[in-house]
């Protein structure tokens, strides 16, 4: 592991290096890590900013959307001046302004059944900040097939959820929790039901924290647990999740072996 930090890097990361659980070795792990952020919206904004600030060496950002005025109530990586700019480019600009030492790869296009596994395989870990079930299931399936840890969060109105999926290490996958996408129109999206902007910030920041813990190998993983936050009641609950032996993605008789089922349904990476 390369522990050769410049004086500026030592100063930049000094509050990390002071932590016994991080130290120089942990900071070197962060520098060597490659994380893919899917969706540069309300969750992806704090994710991209905190991962860059933390010194995660390579950060990929996938989003095929452009910044709109209605995004700015919660998507804090973007600015009024960047309305109309590709969200992946805008988020990269914000992250690099905080930390020019990290590398940001931007993918200003749609994640599809054709490109998902290739893209995900280039990274160690994936975090999902999208707002539509087609993309969520595509990311979850691609991560399980490519054996990549997925740190997933979702928000709606005043509620947030978070879990980490590592079926390749024996934990449950996303489909153990949600076997199939709900029929269209049953579960509203944020663009239909609304979301308090700060709720996305909290959940994206929790997601960034879990990503950093997974890279550092410290603390208790959220694999096998689902965090549910009710912001109106200010109540956090943790629910145990177990692998489903009948799961079509990670069970012993799994039927999902590739992404062919997504070939026609992959929608845009529409971030929260
Ligand atoms: Zn499963």
């Amino acid at each position: 592991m390369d522990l050769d930090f410049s004086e500026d890097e030592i100063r930049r990361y000094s509050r990390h290096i002071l932590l016994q659980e991080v130290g120089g070795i942990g900071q070197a792990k962060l520098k060597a890590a490659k994380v893919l952020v899917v969706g540069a919206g309300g969750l992806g904004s704090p994710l991209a900013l905190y991962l860059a600030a933390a010194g995660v060496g390579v950060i990929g950002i996938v989003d095929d959307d452009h910044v709109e005025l209605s995004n700015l109530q919660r998507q804090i990586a973007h600015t009024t001046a960047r309305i109309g700019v590709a969200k992946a480019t805008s988020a990269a600009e914000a992250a690099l302004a905080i930390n020019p030492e990290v590398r940001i790869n931007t993918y200003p296009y749609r994640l599809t059944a054709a490109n998902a596994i290739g893209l995900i395989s280039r990274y160690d870990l994936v975090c999902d900040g999208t707002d539509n079930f087609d993309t969520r299931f595509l990311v979850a399936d691609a991560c399980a097939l490519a054996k990549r840890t997925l740190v997933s969060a979702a928000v709606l109105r005043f509620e947030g959820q978070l879990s980490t999926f590592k079926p390749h290490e024996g934990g449950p996958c996303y489909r153990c929790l949600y076997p199939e996408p709900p029929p269209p129109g049953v579960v509203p999206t944020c663009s239909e039901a609304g979301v308090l902007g700060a709720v996305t910030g909290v959940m994206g920041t929790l997601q960034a924290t879990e990503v950093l813990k997974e890279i550092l190998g410290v603390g208790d993983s959220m694999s096998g647990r689902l965090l549910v936050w009710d912001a109106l009641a200010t109540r956090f609950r943790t629910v145990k999740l177990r692998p489903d032996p009948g799961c079509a993605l990670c069970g012993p008789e799994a039927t999902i072996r590739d992404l062919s089922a997504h070939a026609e349904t992959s929608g845009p990476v529409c971030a929260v």
Side-chain angles (χ1 to χ4, degrees):
M1 183 149 304
D2 181 13
L3 281 174
D4 193 17
F5 290 108
S6 68
E7 266 184 48
D8 273 357
E9 283 177 300
I10 291 170
R11 213 169 307 141
R12 179 182 286 274
Y13 303 123
S14 60
R15 302 302 188 277
H16 271 172
I17 294 168
L18 280 170
L19 293 168
Q20 202 189 340
E21 293 82 353
V22 183
I25 290 176
Q27 195 59 49
K29 283 184 189 170
L30 296 176
K31 190 176 181 175
K34 298 175 186 166
V35 176
L36 183 66
V37 177
V38 185
L43 296 165
S45 288
L47 268 168
L49 299 183
Y50 271 117
L51 296 180
V56 169
V58 181
I59 300 166
I61 304 175
V62 202
D63 199 310
D64 72 335
D65 224 345
H66 292 78
V67 179
E68 290 177 29
L69 185 57
S70 64
N71 299 150
L72 300 178
Q73 161 258 18
R74 65 202 174 284
Q75 303 184 10
I76 55 165
H78 310 307
T79 65
T80 306
R82 290 203 290 269
I83 288 173
V85 173
K87 281 190 185 178
T89 309
S90 170
E93 195 177 320
L96 287 170
I98 293 173
N99 191 354
E101 311 268 2
V102 301
R103 200 172 94 208
I104 312 248
N105 299 325
T106 55
Y107 308 102
Y109 50 76
R110 202 172 269 223
L111 196 74
T112 65
N115 65 22
I117 291 200
L119 193 52
I120 281 169
S121 300
R122 280 184 244 163
Y123 291 84
D124 307 319
L125 199 144
V126 178
C127 27
D128 181 6
T130 59
D131 186 26
N132 70 81
F133 285 103
D134 286 345
T135 312
R136 270 186 185 273
F137 277 85
L138 173 65
V139 172
D141 290 356
C143 284
L145 294 168
K147 298 184 166 47
R148 292 297 188 271
T149 296
L150 170 63
V151 178
S152 183
V155 290
L156 192 66
R157 293 169 51 80
F158 297 91
E159 195 177 286
Q161 295 191 356
L162 170 99
S163 189
T164 296
F165 299 106
K166 296 201 262 191
H168 52 286
E169 291 182 17
C173 78
Y174 185 75
R175 281 188 190 262
C176 293
L177 180 60
Y178 301 112
E180 291 287 337
V186 169
V187 179
T189 62
C190 289
S191 60
E192 292 158 356
V195 63
L196 192 74
V199 170
T200 62
V202 170
M203 293 313 296
T205 304
L206 278 172
Q207 224 177 336
T209 309
E210 293 308 314
V211 169
L212 298 175
K213 281 169 57 189
E214 292 291 337
I215 297 167
L216 294 167
V218 299
D220 300 323
S221 172
M222 281 304 292
S223 173
R225 293 189 294 159
L226 175 72
L227 178 80
V228 181
W229 176 43
D230 175 349
L232 283 180
T234 318
R235 190 175 297 128
F236 286 91
R237 285 186 300 134
T238 307
V239 183
K240 241 187 159 58
L241 300 179
R242 288 193 178 78
D244 173 5
C247 178
L249 181 59
C250 76
E253 281 158 50
T255 51
I256 300 169
R257 305 256 177 232
D258 55 39
L259 299 178
S260 54
H262 295 274
E264 280 160 25
T265 59
S266 296
V269 174
C270 171
V272 177

